[in-house]
Amino acid sequence: MEQPEKEKGGVLTEFLVEDHRGLDGLFQTAVAHPGSIDDRSYTQFRAGLLRHIGMEEKILLPAAQRRRGGEPLPIAAKLRLDHGALASLLMPTPTASILATIQGILVAHNVLEEGADGLYETCDALAGPEAEPILAALRAAPEVTVMPYNDNPAVMNAVRRALERAGYHLREQHP
């Protein structure tokens, strides 16, 4: 079904929303067959999500803070908690519970970033003439090499703590 024409966002919004769409596609491909995971797609998703988080944490949020005279965006703390929870979920071997939790967090998280007056629109508005150099830095962000899965019980404890700090918990259903 065709979506109604949406008002065009700024260059930062367009780039980052498109990156979200690519990540969503990789995730959906990875979980397309219940009971199994397409490891190649999931590995690309892991690397892509970590790169995306890095772009926001190292480029976008600091640029917004600079444009606000050193004051962080009010939403920055929540986004960082979500980023920490998501990154922790990428460490262990994916299970149905982990995948459902990732999907649930991303649904809520993406609204904070893509929604009206969300992170991306706010950053576009703040960036002004700095938008193009910020976009260039986002495009130049390095690829991320992902580590092998780590299923040590200490990792799962760290995952649970990161989720709790961000206001989430492990889900028990398949995405």
Side-chain angles (χ1 to χ4, degrees), residues 35-152:
S36 69
I37 296 169
D38 178 335
D39 193 54
R40 181 173 180 209
S41 295
Y42 189 70
T43 297
Q44 290 175 331
F45 168 77
R46 286 173 76 205
L49 183 56
L50 291 171
R51 179 178 182 260
H52 186 90
I53 289 169
M55 288 189 296
E56 291 178 358
E57 293 285 343
K58 296 176 182 175
I59 300 166
L60 191 65
L61 290 171
Q65 187 169 338
R66 281 192 307 276
R67 298 293 288 183
R68 291 171 45 90
E71 181 75 23
L73 290 170
I75 198 168
K78 169 62 175 152
L79 295 175
R80 287 192 166 113
L81 289 171
D82 283 4
H83 290 161
L86 287 163
S88 74
L89 285 162
L90 299 176
M91 292 171 30
T93 302
T95 62
S97 179
I98 286 171
L99 295 169
T101 304
I102 290 170
Q103 186 174 46
I105 292 172
L106 286 175
V107 166
H109 183 82
N110 288 354
V111 169
L112 296 175
E113 294 179 340
E114 295 179 15
D117 298 321
L119 174 67
Y120 299 159
E121 283 187 8
T122 300
C123 288
D124 266 316
L126 286 170
E130 199 180 328
E132 287 299 331
I134 294 170
L135 179 60
L138 292 170
R139 285 188 170 136
E143 297 298 320
V144 175
T145 303
V146 295
M147 301 299 291
Y149 299 126
N150 185 337
D151 295 320
N152 184 303

Side-chain angles (χ1 to χ4, degrees), residues 26-38 42 99 103 174-175:
L26 287 170
F27 186 84
Q28 292 308 317
T29 300
V31 300
H33 301 289
S36 69
I37 296 169
D38 178 335
Y42 189 70
L99 295 169
Q103 186 174 46
H174 191 294

